[in-house]
Amino acid sequence: MIMKNILLALLLIFSCSCKEKAVNQQLTEKLGARKKVVQTKVPDSIAEKSIFLTKTKEGYFRIFVQSNKFEGKYFYSDTVNILKAENFVLENDRLKTVKSATLYSDHWDYLHIDSANIYTKKPFLFISATSEFQGTAVPGTNVYFWMVNTENVSENYKLLYSGYTSPVCKGCIKGDFEENKSLKNNPKIRNALYEFAGKSKLIFHPSKSEKSTANYKNFEEKWAADNHAETHWGAGYEGEMDEVISTYYKENLFEISGGTETRIENERYVIASYFRGNLIGYDKMKQRYFPIIVESCADFCNKEVEFVNDHTIRITYEDGNPWNLDLSKIKFD
């Protein structure tokens, strides 16, 4: 009987010891697995190349640009620039992508992140950027506004604004919004993006009166529409014009035209020619300003203007033949 009790005691001790070892083994495995994933600090090599980086419930979220030329967080100029959003975790200080989304991708462009207007409104990040092509083949600038779910980058939305730089708002872009179907079908997201864009200094925010073509600040658009002209494809793009339609303005168009100007003057007119820009006149008798030619330019921009007689000017472009324009024959609406 004594021997039997001793055997039972030894068996109980051995059983408890095995259970304890099993529990310890499971705990060790859990701690080991946890140690592989959980990190307290993102490596500098990742943080330095991230435009925005934050901790999430299940890891990390970041915005970054995939580019061969890294000169800073906010400006990129390369053959290919790709703006990405990413959810990731860290395993032994190495980044492991969970989800990735491409917000923007283009070739031979300048991508400029608006560092002054990045913020979160949980769970979304709001970020914007301007994009324009390198060289002179394609004029104009695009402004992008994105909102991205920081917990799930697969949910992201974009609002596009396209236009041209304008002196009426100190070099901002003056143009129009272009919506995609995902915004038209989602009014809540649409309103959020328009609210975000409304805070941007990158684009022109006209008042109700400034939206009218009758407003002097819209003289460029009105002239282009009246003359059925494309004004942003280089100096002299329209060639010699047989007829010019213009509008008189009491407001000083010289002040809002911007850029370097060259002036000529006679008893009747003052003519201001802007480098890479417009040709604006002032009629001394009527005391009114009027656009003569509205254009923008990137190459062969220089043009010379001279009086042929008291009412006719000669325009000579850097790469073109001269032609005469009789100011007295301009049609005013």
Side-chain angles (χ1 to χ4, degrees):
M1 186 70 179
I2 294 174
M3 183 62 69
K4 186 177 180 180
N5 289 336
I6 292 173
L7 289 172
L8 287 172
L10 289 172
L11 184 61
L12 182 62
I13 292 170
F14 179 76
S15 176
C16 291
S17 177
C18 288
K19 287 182 179 179
E20 185 177 355
K21 286 181 180 180
V23 170
N24 288 337
Q25 180 66 25
Q26 290 176 0
L27 183 59
T28 300
E29 289 176 356
K30 286 182 179 179
L31 290 173
R34 191 176 179 185
K35 186 177 181 181
K36 286 182 180 178
V37 178
V38 178
Q39 303 290 334
T40 57
K41 183 181 178 183
V42 175
D44 291 341
S45 59
I46 297 173
E48 288 173 359
K49 292 189 177 183
S50 298
I51 296 169
F52 184 86
L53 175 67
T54 188
K55 188 82 174 63
T56 62
K57 294 177 182 178
E58 300 185 7
Y60 296 90
F61 163 85
R62 72 166 180 155
I63 295 282
F64 68 101
V65 173
Q66 200 171 296
S67 175
N68 291 324
K69 294 182 180 180
F70 179 73
E71 299 177 358
K73 291 185 177 182
Y74 305 116
F75 182 76
Y76 301 86
S77 171
D78 197 8
T79 55
V80 180
N81 291 315
I82 304 173
L83 181 67
K84 285 190 170 184
E86 186 176 55
N87 292 123
F88 69 92
V89 294
L90 293 172
E91 292 185 356
N92 295 327
D93 289 332
R94 291 188 177 183
L95 184 152
K96 181 180 179 181
T97 301
V98 178
K99 288 182 181 179
S100 179
T102 297
L103 305 180
Y104 169 90
S105 177
D106 219 326
H107 299 75
W108 296 103
D109 65 316
Y110 300 113
L111 182 65
H112 193 173
I113 308 298
D114 184 12
S115 60
N117 197 23
I118 301 175
Y119 67 88
T120 55
K121 192 174 182 180
K122 291 185 177 182
F124 289 100
L125 170 80
F126 292 81
I127 187 170
S128 57
T130 61
S131 169
E132 55 188 345
F133 286 99
Q134 299 178 29
T136 60
V138 182
T141 301
N142 290 326
V143 186
Y144 295 90
F145 300 93
W146 294 280
M147 57 184 295
V148 187
N149 189 332
T150 58
E151 299 289 345
N152 177 14
V153 297
S154 297
E155 185 185 4
N156 61 83
Y157 306 92
K158 176 182 71 178
L159 178 62
L160 173 62
Y161 184 94
S162 296
Y164 302 90
T165 55
S166 175
V168 301
C169 50
K170 296 182 180 179
C172 73
I173 306 304
K174 186 178 180 184
D176 295 297
F177 287 104
E178 299 178 20
E179 293 186 15
N180 52 41
K181 290 182 180 179
S182 64
L183 291 186
K184 292 179 180 179
N185 298 331
N186 197 332
K188 186 176 180 180
I189 296 298
R190 181 181 183 275
N191 291 340
L193 274 172
Y194 271 99
E195 182 181 348
F196 174 46
K199 301 174 183 177
S200 175
K201 294 182 179 180
L202 300 177
I203 64 176
F204 180 49
H205 301 287
S207 63
K208 288 183 179 180
S209 64
E210 288 173 328
K211 292 180 180 180
S212 169
T213 55
N215 190 288
Y216 75 99
K217 290 185 178 181
N218 295 321
F219 78 88
E220 293 182 338
E221 290 85 349
K222 187 177 188 309
W223 187 95
D226 289 343
N227 290 278
H228 305 287
E230 173 50 71
T231 65
H232 296 287
W233 287 87
Y237 178 79
E238 292 296 324
E240 183 174 343
M241 300 182 68
D242 297 325
E243 180 182 82
V244 174
I245 300 173
S246 190
T247 305
Y248 282 123
Y249 296 93
K250 65 179 180 180
E251 293 84 1
N252 191 338
L253 299 188
F254 293 159
E255 290 183 350
I256 68 168
S257 290
T260 303
E261 68 173 66
T262 300
R263 293 194 188 191
I264 59 173
E265 184 176 356
N266 64 12
E267 292 183 359
R268 174 71 186 269
Y269 299 102
V270 178
I271 308 295
S273 175
Y274 290 87
F275 179 65
R276 300 193 178 195
N278 305 325
L279 195 63
I280 307 294
Y282 175 72
D283 189 320
K284 295 179 180 179
M285 290 183 61
K286 296 183 180 297
Q287 297 185 342
R288 290 291 185 270
Y289 297 86
F290 60 99
I292 301 170
I293 295 176
V294 169
E295 63 185 5
S296 60
C297 170
D299 273 337
F300 302 103
C301 304
N302 186 42
K303 58 180 177 285
E304 294 183 359
V305 182
E306 58 184 325
F307 282 107
V308 177
N309 53 46
D310 59 355
H311 56 81
T312 304
I313 58 174
R314 175 173 293 154
I315 304 167
T316 305
Y317 287 98
E318 189 174 350
D319 65 339
N321 296 320
W323 58 284
N324 294 343
L325 177 62
D326 189 337
L327 300 179
S328 66
K329 292 183 179 181
I330 292 178
K331 293 184 177 181
F332 291 91
D333 58 9

